[in-house]
Amino acid sequence: MMPEKSAIASAVRTAHADHAGDTGGANASYIPYLASVDPSLFGVCVATADGDVFEAGDAGFEFALESISKVCSMALAMEHTGLPEFHDKVGADPTGEPFNSVIALALHGGKPLSPLVNAGAMSTVSLIPAASADERWQKILAMQSAFAGRDIRLSDAVNDSEQSTNFHNRAIAWLLYSSGSMYSDPMEACEVYTRQCSTLVTTRDLAVMGATVAARGRNPVTGKQVFDPSLVPPILAEMTMEGLYTSSGDWAYRVGLPGKSGVGGGVLAIMPGTLAIAAFSPPLDPAGNSVRAQKAVASVAAALKLNIYNATDFAQ
Ligand code: GLU
């Protein structure tokens, strides 16, 4: 059941007002561009499965999508391989290690375990059928745009910053290749993966992207079917297991909604069939999740009594 519009609008306003003054956390510093973004920026937005949008604060500011891009590429690869093959090749378990962990790979015979860590995300990119890096990239960009309902663009500034510093990810790509978990040229997969992280979205885009998952793969603003509805449960399962890095279990316990964050400061959570909650603020906690955005999303979810483990609560 959809919460009242007035209740959603009020929850978004309150989440922004209650956390606008919060400090804590630090911008990601290992990507030079991200370190330079104004840490005081803070946006909150809800998009519903009916296509209504409610926003507060800096919800129109464009920031780097980063790891949240992994959700779009996962849908693209799943559509191509089918679910059993995707599950077999990439996996659906938390690694228990940081998102760019080499140890996690070493511990599991070179298998990435999840499409939502860097290793699994590069493996995922390599599964998308393409004859060239550009074709692979155009498919991913088109998918991000369909999720958001507008033309998403690459930021050359973010991309240059990432491509010139992504030595760690290149090492992971070669490790995947050596263990048989890379299905294209490894440097092509790494390069295209890095581009997919370097696109710009607003908090509003992020909410509409989430609402596309909430609405069974149909973008509720454009009305376009972006991916097959059968992908929604596995996408949400992957997000539950690894969406907030090493805090994914804590997030499930405290908030109870499948989520995904990125080191650009975005956090997205999805109540299937109902709505998506997005927030953005650059300073991160040690796990890589935006401090303020986590609080804002949790606040909206609690105010609207949205929790997949207590799904009838708001209907009382
Ligand atoms: N482009 C970043 C990286 O590969 C994304 C990391 C993230 O947001 O988790 O390190």
mmCIF file with all atom_site columns, all heavy atoms in Angstrom, residues 275-288:
data_model
loop_
_atom_site.group_PDB
_atom_site.id
_atom_site.type_symbol
_atom_site.label_atom_id
_atom_site.label_alt_id
_atom_site.label_comp_id
_atom_site.label_asym_id
_atom_site.label_entity_id
_atom_site.label_seq_id
_atom_site.pdbx_PDB_ins_code
_atom_site.Cartn_x
_atom_site.Cartn_y
_atom_site.Cartn_z
_atom_site.occupancy
_atom_site.B_iso_or_equiv
_atom_site.pdbx_formal_charge
_atom_site.auth_seq_id
_atom_site.auth_comp_id
_atom_site.auth_asym_id
_atom_site.auth_atom_id
_atom_site.pdbx_PDB_model_num
ATOM 1  N N   . LEU A 1 275 ? 8.044  2.329  -3.327 1.00 0.00 ? 275 LEU A N   1
ATOM 2  C CA  . LEU A 1 275 ? 8.810  3.553  -3.606 1.00 0.00 ? 275 LEU A CA  1
ATOM 3  C C   . LEU A 1 275 ? 10.300 3.316  -3.369 1.00 0.00 ? 275 LEU A C   1
ATOM 4  O O   . LEU A 1 275 ? 10.719 2.272  -2.866 1.00 0.00 ? 275 LEU A O   1
ATOM 5  C CB  . LEU A 1 275 ? 8.305  4.723  -2.746 1.00 0.00 ? 275 LEU A CB  1
ATOM 6  C CG  . LEU A 1 275 ? 8.228  4.572  -1.222 1.00 0.00 ? 275 LEU A CG  1
ATOM 7  C CD1 . LEU A 1 275 ? 9.593  4.639  -0.552 1.00 0.00 ? 275 LEU A CD1 1
ATOM 8  C CD2 . LEU A 1 275 ? 7.352  5.674  -0.650 1.00 0.00 ? 275 LEU A CD2 1
ATOM 9  N N   . ALA A 1 276 ? 11.067 4.338  -3.749 1.00 0.00 ? 276 ALA A N   1
ATOM 10 C CA  . ALA A 1 276 ? 12.505 4.330  -3.470 1.00 0.00 ? 276 ALA A CA  1
ATOM 11 C C   . ALA A 1 276 ? 12.859 5.618  -2.742 1.00 0.00 ? 276 ALA A C   1
ATOM 12 O O   . ALA A 1 276 ? 12.278 6.679  -2.997 1.00 0.00 ? 276 ALA A O   1
ATOM 13 C CB  . ALA A 1 276 ? 13.298 4.221  -4.763 1.00 0.00 ? 276 ALA A CB  1
ATOM 14 N N   . ILE A 1 277 ? 13.822 5.505  -1.842 1.00 0.00 ? 277 ILE A N   1
ATOM 15 C CA  . ILE A 1 277 ? 14.306 6.654  -1.078 1.00 0.00 ? 277 ILE A CA  1
ATOM 16 C C   . ILE A 1 277 ? 15.773 6.855  -1.453 1.00 0.00 ? 277 ILE A C   1
ATOM 17 O O   . ILE A 1 277 ? 16.561 5.906  -1.380 1.00 0.00 ? 277 ILE A O   1
ATOM 18 C CB  . ILE A 1 277 ? 14.230 6.389  0.443  1.00 0.00 ? 277 ILE A CB  1
ATOM 19 C CG1 . ILE A 1 277 ? 12.861 5.845  0.856  1.00 0.00 ? 277 ILE A CG1 1
ATOM 20 C CG2 . ILE A 1 277 ? 14.574 7.672  1.220  1.00 0.00 ? 277 ILE A CG2 1
ATOM 21 C CD1 . ILE A 1 277 ? 12.830 5.242  2.257  1.00 0.00 ? 277 ILE A CD1 1
ATOM 22 N N   . ALA A 1 278 ? 16.124 8.084  -1.843 1.00 0.00 ? 278 ALA A N   1
ATOM 23 C CA  . ALA A 1 278 ? 17.516 8.381  -2.182 1.00 0.00 ? 278 ALA A CA  1
ATOM 24 C C   . ALA A 1 278 ? 17.989 9.574  -1.372 1.00 0.00 ? 278 ALA A C   1
ATOM 25 O O   . ALA A 1 278 ? 17.204 10.467 -1.037 1.00 0.00 ? 278 ALA A O   1
ATOM 26 C CB  . ALA A 1 278 ? 17.644 8.685  -3.675 1.00 0.00 ? 278 ALA A CB  1
ATOM 27 N N   . ALA A 1 279 ? 19.266 9.572  -1.044 1.00 0.00 ? 279 ALA A N   1
ATOM 28 C CA  . ALA A 1 279 ? 19.870 10.741 -0.393 1.00 0.00 ? 279 ALA A CA  1
ATOM 29 C C   . ALA A 1 279 ? 21.319 10.831 -0.848 1.00 0.00 ? 279 ALA A C   1
ATOM 30 O O   . ALA A 1 279 ? 21.910 9.837  -1.304 1.00 0.00 ? 279 ALA A O   1
ATOM 31 C CB  . ALA A 1 279 ? 19.770 10.632 1.127  1.00 0.00 ? 279 ALA A CB  1
ATOM 32 N N   . PHE A 1 280 ? 21.856 12.030 -0.733 1.00 0.00 ? 280 PHE A N   1
ATOM 33 C CA  . PHE A 1 280 ? 23.233 12.282 -1.178 1.00 0.00 ? 280 PHE A CA  1
ATOM 34 C C   . PHE A 1 280 ? 23.900 13.274 -0.239 1.00 0.00 ? 280 PHE A C   1
ATOM 35 O O   . PHE A 1 280 ? 23.321 14.303 0.116  1.00 0.00 ? 280 PHE A O   1
ATOM 36 C CB  . PHE A 1 280 ? 23.219 12.855 -2.595 1.00 0.00 ? 280 PHE A CB  1
ATOM 37 C CG  . PHE A 1 280 ? 24.427 13.699 -2.932 1.00 0.00 ? 280 PHE A CG  1
ATOM 38 C CD1 . PHE A 1 280 ? 25.679 13.108 -3.091 1.00 0.00 ? 280 PHE A CD1 1
ATOM 39 C CD2 . PHE A 1 280 ? 24.324 15.078 -3.061 1.00 0.00 ? 280 PHE A CD2 1
ATOM 40 C CE1 . PHE A 1 280 ? 26.799 13.889 -3.378 1.00 0.00 ? 280 PHE A CE1 1
ATOM 41 C CE2 . PHE A 1 280 ? 25.427 15.866 -3.352 1.00 0.00 ? 280 PHE A CE2 1
ATOM 42 C CZ  . PHE A 1 280 ? 26.672 15.271 -3.508 1.00 0.00 ? 280 PHE A CZ  1
ATOM 43 N N   . SER A 1 281 ? 25.094 12.943 0.184  1.00 0.00 ? 281 SER A N   1
ATOM 44 C CA  . SER A 1 281 ? 25.978 13.880 0.877  1.00 0.00 ? 281 SER A CA  1
ATOM 45 C C   . SER A 1 281 ? 27.372 13.253 0.856  1.00 0.00 ? 281 SER A C   1
ATOM 46 O O   . SER A 1 281 ? 27.506 12.050 1.127  1.00 0.00 ? 281 SER A O   1
ATOM 47 C CB  . SER A 1 281 ? 25.495 14.106 2.315  1.00 0.00 ? 281 SER A CB  1
ATOM 48 O OG  . SER A 1 281 ? 26.225 15.155 2.880  1.00 0.00 ? 281 SER A OG  1
ATOM 49 N N   . PRO A 1 282 ? 28.409 14.009 0.486  1.00 0.00 ? 282 PRO A N   1
ATOM 50 C CA  . PRO A 1 282 ? 29.708 13.373 0.216  1.00 0.00 ? 282 PRO A CA  1
ATOM 51 C C   . PRO A 1 282 ? 30.435 12.704 1.387  1.00 0.00 ? 282 PRO A C   1
ATOM 52 O O   . PRO A 1 282 ? 31.079 11.671 1.158  1.00 0.00 ? 282 PRO A O   1
ATOM 53 C CB  . PRO A 1 282 ? 30.561 14.521 -0.348 1.00 0.00 ? 282 PRO A CB  1
ATOM 54 C CG  . PRO A 1 282 ? 29.558 15.491 -0.896 1.00 0.00 ? 282 PRO A CG  1
ATOM 55 C CD  . PRO A 1 282 ? 28.379 15.415 0.029  1.00 0.00 ? 282 PRO A CD  1
ATOM 56 N N   . PRO A 1 283 ? 30.390 13.237 2.627  1.00 0.00 ? 283 PRO A N   1
ATOM 57 C CA  . PRO A 1 283 ? 31.231 12.589 3.660  1.00 0.00 ? 283 PRO A CA  1
ATOM 58 C C   . PRO A 1 283 ? 30.799 11.151 3.992  1.00 0.00 ? 283 PRO A C   1
ATOM 59 O O   . PRO A 1 283 ? 29.615 10.890 4.251  1.00 0.00 ? 283 PRO A O   1
ATOM 60 C CB  . PRO A 1 283 ? 31.076 13.518 4.870  1.00 0.00 ? 283 PRO A CB  1
ATOM 61 C CG  . PRO A 1 283 ? 30.663 14.834 4.291  1.00 0.00 ? 283 PRO A CG  1
ATOM 62 C CD  . PRO A 1 283 ? 29.768 14.475 3.142  1.00 0.00 ? 283 PRO A CD  1
ATOM 63 N N   . LEU A 1 284 ? 31.777 10.253 3.997  1.00 0.00 ? 284 LEU A N   1
ATOM 64 C CA  . LEU A 1 284 ? 31.522 8.813  4.164  1.00 0.00 ? 284 LEU A CA  1
ATOM 65 C C   . LEU A 1 284 ? 31.980 8.312  5.527  1.00 0.00 ? 284 LEU A C   1
ATOM 66 O O   . LEU A 1 284 ? 32.898 8.874  6.134  1.00 0.00 ? 284 LEU A O   1
ATOM 67 C CB  . LEU A 1 284 ? 32.312 8.034  3.097  1.00 0.00 ? 284 LEU A CB  1
ATOM 68 C CG  . LEU A 1 284 ? 32.187 8.493  1.646  1.00 0.00 ? 284 LEU A CG  1
ATOM 69 C CD1 . LEU A 1 284 ? 33.077 7.612  0.756  1.00 0.00 ? 284 LEU A CD1 1
ATOM 70 C CD2 . LEU A 1 284 ? 30.741 8.454  1.179  1.00 0.00 ? 284 LEU A CD2 1
ATOM 71 N N   . ASP A 1 285 ? 31.387 7.197  5.944  1.00 0.00 ? 285 ASP A N   1
ATOM 72 C CA  . ASP A 1 285 ? 31.900 6.493  7.127  1.00 0.00 ? 285 ASP A CA  1
ATOM 73 C C   . ASP A 1 285 ? 33.052 5.568  6.679  1.00 0.00 ? 285 ASP A C   1
ATOM 74 O O   . ASP A 1 285 ? 33.334 5.452  5.490  1.00 0.00 ? 285 ASP A O   1
ATOM 75 C CB  . ASP A 1 285 ? 30.753 5.759  7.853  1.00 0.00 ? 285 ASP A CB  1
ATOM 76 C CG  . ASP A 1 285 ? 30.183 4.591  7.063  1.00 0.00 ? 285 ASP A CG  1
ATOM 77 O OD1 . ASP A 1 285 ? 30.813 4.151  6.076  1.00 0.00 ? 285 ASP A OD1 1
ATOM 78 O OD2 . ASP A 1 285 ? 29.097 4.112  7.427  1.00 0.00 ? 285 ASP A OD2 1
ATOM 79 N N   . PRO A 1 286 ? 33.701 4.880  7.625  1.00 0.00 ? 286 PRO A N   1
ATOM 80 C CA  . PRO A 1 286 ? 34.857 4.058  7.233  1.00 0.00 ? 286 PRO A CA  1
ATOM 81 C C   . PRO A 1 286 ? 34.510 2.927  6.256  1.00 0.00 ? 286 PRO A C   1
ATOM 82 O O   . PRO A 1 286 ? 35.376 2.471  5.500  1.00 0.00 ? 286 PRO A O   1
ATOM 83 C CB  . PRO A 1 286 ? 35.367 3.498  8.564  1.00 0.00 ? 286 PRO A CB  1
ATOM 84 C CG  . PRO A 1 286 ? 34.910 4.491  9.584  1.00 0.00 ? 286 PRO A CG  1
ATOM 85 C CD  . PRO A 1 286 ? 33.577 4.985  9.092  1.00 0.00 ? 286 PRO A CD  1
ATOM 86 N N   . ALA A 1 287 ? 33.260 2.488  6.229  1.00 0.00 ? 287 ALA A N   1
ATOM 87 C CA  . ALA A 1 287 ? 32.884 1.418  5.291  1.00 0.00 ? 287 ALA A CA  1
ATOM 88 C C   . ALA A 1 287 ? 32.665 1.944  3.879  1.00 0.00 ? 287 ALA A C   1
ATOM 89 O O   . ALA A 1 287 ? 32.611 1.164  2.927  1.00 0.00 ? 287 ALA A O   1
ATOM 90 C CB  . ALA A 1 287 ? 31.611 0.723  5.782  1.00 0.00 ? 287 ALA A CB  1
ATOM 91 N N   . GLY A 1 288 ? 32.516 3.273  3.714  1.00 0.00 ? 288 GLY A N   1
ATOM 92 C CA  . GLY A 1 288 ? 32.319 3.855  2.380  1.00 0.00 ? 288 GLY A CA  1
ATOM 93 C C   . GLY A 1 288 ? 30.904 4.343  2.122  1.00 0.00 ? 288 GLY A C   1
ATOM 94 O O   . GLY A 1 288 ? 30.553 4.673  0.985  1.00 0.00 ? 288 GLY A O   1
#
